[in-house]
């Protein structure tokens, strides 16, 4: 039997895609057309019941679904920091309205605009990732979303989603 010998005085506050609070939410479910990390923004896939990561501007602005939320039953260890918790064909819980934690590619502050990555650029390569700028036209602003907390680059921030 292992014995605990240390205690962290700075535990992880959240993981990508985790709900920020227990307020009202709107969550829909779709099947993953591609492997999707929790905490990524997803858009409508080719079939009605599918979701995928954005690959063009129009995916984010014209086919937005929401945030792939953290699912502890699919993640092997806390905190979820690597891997793709939603494999192809699995059900994805998607937050359309509510507040959740996202990992940001650059520093953000409350009320900064939310941009979603649809192509690799100088600031990052993860499709569906979050930032506050266009990163030379590889990310586009997401209407209906705003940052509520401050975070440094590669940190976690709370985003409020209110998608149509």
């Amino acid at each position: 039997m292992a014995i605990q010998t240390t205690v962290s005085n700075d535990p992880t506050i959240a993981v990508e895609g985790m709900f920020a609070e227990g307020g009202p939410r709107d969550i829909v479910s779709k099947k993953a057309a591609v492997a999707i990390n929790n905490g990524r923004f997803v858009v409508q896939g080719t079939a009605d019941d599918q979701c995928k990561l954005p690959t063009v501007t129009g995916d984010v602005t014209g086919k937005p679904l929401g945030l792939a939320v953290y699912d502890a039953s699919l993640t092997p260890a806390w905190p979820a920091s690597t891997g793709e918790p939603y494999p192809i064909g699995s059900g994805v819980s998607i937050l359309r309205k509510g507040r959740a934690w996202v990992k940001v590619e650059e520093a953000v502050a409350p009320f900064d605009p939310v941009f979603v990555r649809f192509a690799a650029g100088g600031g990052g390569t993860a499709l569906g990732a979050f930032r506050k700028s266009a990163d030379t036209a590889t990310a586009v602003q997401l209407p209906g979303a705003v940052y509520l907390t401050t975070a440094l680059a590669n940190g976690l921030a709370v985003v409020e989603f209110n998608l149509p």
Side-chain angles (χ1 to χ4, degrees), residues 103-127:
K103 186 175 181 180
V104 294
E105 294 180 339
E106 61 186 336
V108 299
F111 305 104
D112 277 346
V114 175
F115 281 72
V116 173
R117 179 168 298 288
F118 63 85
T125 59
L127 302 181

Side-chain angles (χ1 to χ4, degrees), residues 22-148:
R25 301 183 185 117
D26 180 16
I27 299 172
V28 298
S29 296
K30 301 275 184 175
K31 285 192 304 190
V34 297
I36 298 169
N37 283 353
N38 53 268
R40 296 290 189 264
F41 190 79
V42 295
V43 298
Q44 183 63 50
T46 54
D48 290 347
D49 66 344
Q50 287 183 334
C51 65
K52 66 180 188 102
L53 297 168
T55 55
V56 296
T57 300
D59 283 347
V60 176
T61 58
K63 302 177 189 178
L65 287 178
L67 180 75
V69 299
Y70 171 73
D71 184 341
S73 70
L74 296 173
T75 305
W78 174 269
S81 59
T82 61
E84 294 161 341
Y86 292 108
I88 295 172
S90 68
V92 180
S93 296
I94 303 165
L95 180 68
R96 296 187 52 75
K97 294 180 196 269
R99 296 174 179 183
W101 293 92
V102 301
K103 186 175 181 180
V104 294
E105 294 180 339
E106 61 186 336
V108 299
F111 305 104
D112 277 346
V114 175
F115 281 72
V116 173
R117 179 168 298 288
F118 63 85
T125 59
L127 302 181
F130 294 86
R131 53 185 302 110
K132 70 172 183 182
S133 69
D135 190 32
T136 317
T138 58
V140 64
Q141 188 171 358
L142 176 63
V146 66
Y147 291 106
L148 296 180

